[in-house]
Amino acid sequence: MIFIVLGLIMALSLIGAETIIGTLLGGAGVIGIAIGFAVKDTIENYIASLMLSIRQPFQARDHVVINDREGIVVRLTSRATILMTLEGNQLRIPNADVFKGIILNYTQNPERRFTFELGVGANNDPLAAIKVGLDTLRSLAFVLNEPKAIGFITRVGDSNIVLEFQGWVNLSTTDFGKARSIAICKTKHALEHHGFSLPEPIYRLSFNPNIEQALTHLPIHKSQTDIDATPPTTAHHRPGFPNGGTAESPGQQKRATAHLTRQANPTRPASR
């Protein structure tokens, strides 16, 4: 192809067609620029794949985090890095992004540290609680002796003292998530067994004395049922009224007197 192109250029120059040569070369340059922009990403990803193959920041079956994308490396192709996410989904990341991105490899170093926090009561001895927790962690078979497990006080809360424990496991023989879960469970039970309390948050409410006095003098509203069941206090009980009735007004007293009169003289006609 090179000899053919050179022969074509020489033939055109011999017949004096320099203008056609310039046009062809200019068109070839424009076409080359357009093709370069079109395949820019492909070329960039291919070069990145070569650089990743040389540097080897990870290998197949490594547990990695690439630009906040976590998963297990499946393979490296000429254009993309393929991960299997922890949910079981396939994830393709362009090699250019992988090469320029932030890579966190959990498998490169098999030793990994786990941490968790537990709170004890404010009245408990935190140093004694740390000793109990560390004895429990060091008794677990999957916790490494080197680096050693440690514990310390992180902060003092409103109603408790927060302790943080750290331990190391070997990922080649131990599942990280299960190991951390068992360590938390065992440490919590050990603290409770030795009498340390794991309190819940406690809230104290403080009122102004004037507000307390105002609340104590607030009127209590009774329901309609309580009002109906409460005997009247303003009524004047009078003997002789039917069913222990009461006369609360002069009109009621007159009606009650007329009722008693009709009962005493049933045959007497009513006066007009």
Side-chain angles (χ1 to χ4, degrees):
M1 292 295 296
I2 294 175
F3 284 113
I4 292 174
V5 172
L6 291 177
L8 180 61
I9 294 174
M10 292 178 63
L12 292 175
S13 63
L14 289 176
I15 63 176
E18 288 82 359
T19 305
I20 299 176
I21 296 175
T23 304
L24 292 176
L25 292 177
V30 173
I31 294 174
I33 294 175
I35 294 175
F37 278 108
V39 298
K40 172 181 176 297
D41 293 338
T42 301
I43 297 175
E44 185 179 11
N45 289 326
Y46 182 74
I47 296 175
S49 68
L50 295 178
M51 298 300 296
L52 290 173
S53 299
I54 295 173
R55 293 189 176 185
Q56 293 185 348
F58 49 78
Q59 298 177 357
R61 302 187 65 82
D62 280 0
H63 183 188
V64 298
V65 178
I66 302 175
N67 293 335
D68 299 330
R69 302 288 186 176
E70 185 174 1
I72 307 298
V73 178
V74 177
R75 63 180 179 274
L76 175 66
T77 65
S78 60
R79 294 192 58 186
T81 299
I82 301 177
L83 302 182
M84 183 67 67
T85 65
L86 302 183
E87 294 79 14
N89 302 318
Q90 190 180 74
L91 178 64
R92 296 174 61 91
I93 305 177
N95 287 330
D97 295 340
V98 176
F99 183 73
K100 295 183 294 184
I102 299 174
I103 303 174
L104 174 61
N105 193 330
Y106 289 119
T107 311
Q108 198 72 25
N109 180 20
E111 297 177 354
R112 183 178 175 185
R113 185 186 69 182
F114 65 86
T115 63
F116 62 90
E117 292 183 348
L118 289 175
V120 296
N123 297 326
N124 297 144
D125 185 0
L127 298 180
I130 291 175
K131 183 179 183 304
V132 172
L134 291 179
D135 292 341
T136 304
L137 287 179
R138 291 165 183 169
S139 65
L140 300 177
F142 54 80
V143 177
L144 301 179
N145 295 326
E146 289 293 335
K148 293 183 179 180
I150 61 174
F152 48 89
I153 301 173
T154 57
R155 63 183 182 276
V156 178
D158 296 334
S159 58
N160 61 355
I161 301 175
V162 182
L163 310 177
E164 181 174 329
F165 296 94
Q166 299 179 357
W168 292 80
V169 296
N170 191 334
L171 295 180
S172 60
T173 58
T174 307
D175 183 271
F176 180 81
K178 292 181 179 179
R180 182 175 182 274
S181 177
I182 294 174
I184 295 174
C185 182
K186 295 291 185 180
T187 307
K188 175 180 178 296
H189 290 334
L191 291 176
E192 292 176 339
H193 179 71
H194 285 78
F196 294 97
S197 60
L198 304 178
E200 297 180 354
I202 300 174
Y203 301 95
R204 295 182 179 179
L205 301 179
S206 177
F207 292 97
N208 186 290
N210 296 330
I211 297 178
E212 292 183 2
Q213 186 176 5
L215 292 176
T216 56
H217 290 82
L218 283 177
I220 301 176
H221 299 280
K222 296 183 179 181
S223 62
Q224 187 63 35
T225 304
D226 296 335
I227 294 175
D228 296 339
T230 304
T233 57
T234 58
H236 303 283
H237 293 270
R238 302 295 181 85
F241 283 87
N243 300 323
T246 59
E248 298 180 355
S249 64
Q252 291 179 340
Q253 294 179 2
K254 291 180 179 180
R255 288 193 294 272
T257 303
H259 177 72
L260 292 177
T261 304
R262 287 194 296 271
Q263 287 184 345
N265 303 294
T267 57
R268 181 177 177 180
S271 59
R272 300 193 180 189

